[in-house]
Amino acid sequence: MWREFVFWLCAAGSVVTGVAVFRVDSMARATFALLASFLFAAGTVLLVDLTYLGILVILMMIMEMVIMVVFMLMYMMNPAGLMPMTMVHNQKGSLAIAIGTFAVLATGIYLIDWPTSSAPQPEDPTMALGEALMGPKMLMMIVLGLALFATIVATVVLATHRGRYDRYGDRLDRDRPDDPVRGGVGR
Amino acid sequence: MVETTAWGVLLLPVILGLFAVGAAAFDATLAARAAGVTAPRSAALAPLRSAAGLLVQQRRRTLAADTLLWRAAGMVLLVAAVLASLVTPLGHWAVGDLSAGVVWFNAMEIVAWAAVWLAGWGANSTFSLVGGYRFVAQGLAYELPHMFVLTTAALGAGSLRVADIVAAQQDLWFVVWMPVAFAVYLLSVLAMAFSGPFNHAVSGDVAGGVLAELSGVDRLVFLAGRWVLLVSGAAMAVPLFLGGGAGPLLPDWLWTLVKTALVLAALVWAGRRVPTIRMERFEEISWMVLIPATLLQALFVSLVVI
């Protein structure tokens, strides 16, 4: 009973705060409305006893959105939030995409023959889910993880303003790096 | 071994509040002694006096403040700081015994990122905003070593459940064979609660940073949240590294309280003794020293466990 109540609370909360993202007139509020929406979604994950995943979603979403807010404010047209702004662009196109996606997903929900199981709940649902998702494809997941990590490193290397030649000289023969800001390790 | 109690929900905020007041009083005493006040005892009441003052103080207003987000900051910080202790056992009782308790604790600590930034943003004041961004800029430098030491303790027990971590220390406390992790944990708890030498977000060189425009009850709630966050961090050190309620003679709940008080006092004292560390310095220390050190510690623990 209470699970159903909490589910509908999370579902409604998630949608309402999701709508709020596009109704508010400040980037900061939009970001934190989006964060609230994600947290409500995490609530539904917790409801199916995926404790670890649910808490991890909470943890990662807070970190992500706080970092995100910096960029949202930096790049959007109304950084200070002092002038009226709108989060909605390309209204006709986005409306079409939104309605189309909703229609596809909604029909999908009703057309798919969802499996029902009378098997008892596994002792550790997170483990069971992980096994089901990744068990047979572990090699691919590992390769994927490596590829993602390599991409992150490569992006940082490409984006960095000062490389080792700037820091250690053209022949990399400087003892102390030439940094504009002193670090804390005594160099 | 750890049993969950419903009445703990009522007791937990009271205990955390008492510890927070105690920590603030100890901090005020240390400050008074450092300032050369002849009767530092009366300084211990200073936090209570200023709390009463803040309760009746009228709110300072700023032009075009984002009131919703500004007020939310303090409340979110306080609530999250209390919720962080949900999984911390007092002796053999805990309010919640989540299977991923350590992750829950970390998630609630991370709320401070959002809260501090919101407090900085909401005031629509430059110094506040600078303070807020200072904290966010340091976020990963604080969080990554913190996360790795939490992982190390969980590795030692082979479980993310706090009760299992306590049970794994029956023979040997984790502090004995994970000293690096314990030291880094204490350091990062101070940092996550933006106190002690890591108070750049609220330091005097930016007129109080995120606290610059906070006044009245909002300021009280925010400061209370900050102290409770520090208390929650200190309290979690006990089940993670100091054997939980284990100890001779005294009952386990009393041992937990005693150990928490000792850790908290050490943190407050260190915060007063050490000057504020400049951000660019700590950033490099964190990435070049703390993260490799915690990773090596985690590797060592994994090898021992295997």
Side-chain angles (χ1 to χ4, degrees):
Chain A
M1 179 62 206
W2 69 268
R3 274 172 188 268
E4 268 182 32
F5 177 74
V6 176
F7 170 76
W8 284 108
L9 193 78
C10 285
S14 182
V15 172
V16 168
T17 45
V19 170
V21 172
F22 297 95
R23 305 293 301 175
V24 294
D25 59 356
S26 122
M27 285 318 300
R29 286 193 180 193
T31 312
F32 283 93
L34 189 56
L35 173 58
S37 186
F38 286 145
L39 293 185
F40 279 121
T44 59
V45 179
L46 287 175
L47 271 184
V48 286
D49 286 334
L50 294 172
T51 317
Y52 176 73
L53 282 184
I55 298 175
L56 205 63
V57 170
I58 297 177
L59 175 80
M60 298 314 286
M61 283 306 156
I62 296 174
M63 287 172 80
E64 179 198 292
M65 291 316 290
V66 175
I67 293 171
M68 183 91 146
V69 75
V70 178
F71 290 94
M72 302 250 300
L73 290 170
M74 238 181 345
Y75 293 140
M76 293 293 175
M77 65 262 185
N78 181 24
L82 292 176
M83 302 215 296
M85 57 161 275
T86 170
M87 281 288 287
V88 191
H89 318 288
N90 184 19
Q91 293 203 18
K92 280 178 192 151
S94 55
L95 206 61
I97 295 171
I99 292 176
T101 318
F102 181 79
V104 168
L105 289 178
T107 29
I109 288 171
Y110 285 106
L111 288 185
I112 289 174
D113 185 19
W114 294 103
T116 51
S117 165
S118 55
Q121 203 183 12
E123 196 175 320
D124 187 350
T126 309
M127 182 85 158
L129 180 68
E131 289 276 341
L133 280 178
M134 304 203 287
K137 304 180 189 68
M138 207 55 204
L139 185 66
M140 205 183 89
M141 288 291 172
I142 292 174
V143 174
L144 201 66
L146 267 178
L148 282 173
F149 187 66
T151 314
I152 295 172
V153 173
T155 319
V156 172
V157 167
L158 287 177
T160 188
H161 173 53
R162 286 165 51 80
R164 56 187 170 147
Y165 293 108
D166 302 294
R167 300 184 72 220
Y168 290 97
D170 289 341
R171 295 179 182 278
L172 297 178
D173 52 1
R174 247 175 240 155
D175 287 338
R176 289 160 166 262
D178 176 24
D179 286 334
V181 181
R182 242 176 91 204
V185 195
R187 294 187 298 193
Chain B
M1 187 182 134
V2 168
E3 46 186 298
T4 54
T5 48
W7 51 264
V9 179
L10 302 173
L11 197 59
L12 179 70
V14 178
I15 298 175
L16 289 176
L18 287 176
F19 266 117
V21 171
F26 183 52
D27 184 57
T29 316
L30 289 177
R33 189 181 291 167
V37 176
T38 42
R41 267 194 206 143
S42 70
L45 289 176
L48 288 179
R49 273 198 300 272
S50 69
L54 288 174
L55 272 178
V56 293
Q57 188 188 47
Q58 209 162 26
R59 281 196 179 103
R60 187 189 305 157
R61 287 168 202 279
T62 53
L63 185 68
D66 193 335
T67 319
L68 175 71
L69 295 186
W70 201 14
R71 301 248 165 94
M75 282 184 262
V76 163
L77 183 64
L78 184 57
V79 169
V82 172
L83 285 180
S85 278
L86 209 67
V87 290
T88 312
L90 171 67
H92 57 276
W93 305 297
V95 179
D97 186 27
L98 302 178
S99 59
V102 174
V103 190
W104 170 263
F105 169 72
N106 197 212
M108 291 301 111
E109 276 188 309
I110 288 292
V111 174
W113 285 24
V116 172
W117 188 86
L118 283 173
W121 167 264
N124 191 25
S125 135
T126 312
F127 285 138
S128 290
L129 195 59
V130 170
Y133 275 122
R134 279 183 170 185
F135 194 62
V136 174
Q138 298 267 284
L140 282 179
Y142 294 162
E143 164 63 11
L144 287 179
H146 191 66
M147 200 187 260
F148 286 136
V149 295
L150 291 178
T151 315
T152 307
L155 265 178
S159 165
L160 287 168
R161 191 188 291 270
V162 181
D164 295 343
I165 296 178
V166 175
Q169 298 175 69
Q170 288 273 308
D171 304 320
L172 189 61
W173 292 2
F174 281 175
V175 64
V176 180
W177 60 291
M178 312 177 186
V180 178
F182 180 63
V184 175
Y185 177 82
L186 294 185
L187 211 66
S188 51
V189 159
L190 274 174
M192 302 289 264
F194 50 105
S195 56
F198 305 102
N199 54 358
H200 244 299
V202 292
S203 70
D205 62 336
V206 277
V210 296
L211 293 174
E213 304 289 348
L214 269 175
S215 57
V217 92
D218 297 334
R219 189 185 180 90
L220 179 63
V221 169
F222 190 83
L223 287 176
R226 181 195 188 195
W227 279 113
V228 173
L229 189 62
L230 187 64
V231 172
S232 284
M236 196 41 130
V238 177
L240 286 187
F241 295 101
L242 300 175
L249 296 174
L250 302 178
D252 53 3
W253 59 270
L254 196 56
W255 267 117
T256 308
L257 292 182
V258 169
K259 288 175 188 173
T260 305
L262 286 177
V263 172
L264 187 59
L267 288 179
V268 172
W269 178 82
R272 276 282 158 200
R273 290 294 296 180
V274 184
T276 302
I277 299 174
R278 280 215 320 273
M279 287 179 296
E280 69 269 20
R281 292 206 156 185
F282 186 74
E283 193 78 25
E284 190 170 284
I285 293 175
S286 173
W287 282 89
M288 306 296 286
V289 180
L290 295 186
I291 291 179
T294 48
L295 282 176
L296 284 177
Q297 176 79 90
L299 178 68
F300 169 73
V301 169
S302 335
L303 290 179
V304 169
V305 169
I306 288 173

